[in-house]
Amino acid sequence: MWSWVLHRITGVATFFFLFVHVLDTALVRVNPETYDAVIDTYKNPIVGLMELGLVAMVLYHALNGLRVMLVDFWSKGPKYQRVMLWTILAIWFVVMIPATVRILFNTFAGH
């Protein structure tokens, strides 16, 4: 059940990120100076940590979405759903290690 809840939360959070992303990118057409000012506000450690959270959410949502499709459309999916959950969590963890290192380096040392 927690994987279902987390899948819904990460999906909604990703949707809201995309909504804000489309809005701030649309500023380029309206007023490029305002766009530059908005983008400059994103260059701080808090937004860097939010970016790390975004990567974690999108990666989990994508991997779990594959698992959900396998459970729904593969005849043996329900039998192996728990194994697949632990597999996607392991893949998520392994992929998040270099992503975390890179994002934290860019956030705190890569200026």
Side-chain angles (χ1 to χ4, degrees), residues 18 26-27 37 75 87 92:
L18 290 172
L27 284 173
S75 62
T87 302
W92 178 87

Side-chain angles (χ1 to χ4, degrees), residues 31-51:
N31 188 339
E33 293 80 24
T34 304
Y35 171 78
D36 290 339
V38 168
I39 295 303
D40 284 340
T41 65
Y42 294 161
K43 296 175 182 174
N44 66 65
I46 293 170
V47 175
L49 294 174
M50 290 170 62
E51 183 179 73

Side-chain angles (χ1 to χ4, degrees), residues 41-78:
T41 65
Y42 294 161
K43 296 175 182 174
N44 66 65
I46 293 170
V47 175
L49 294 174
M50 290 170 62
E51 183 179 73
L52 180 60
L54 176 66
V55 169
M57 287 189 300
V58 168
L59 183 61
Y60 172 81
H61 192 78
L63 292 171
N64 194 57
L66 293 173
R67 183 186 73 88
V68 168
M69 287 189 293
L70 286 172
V71 169
D72 288 346
F73 298 113
W74 181 35
S75 62
K76 296 181 182 180

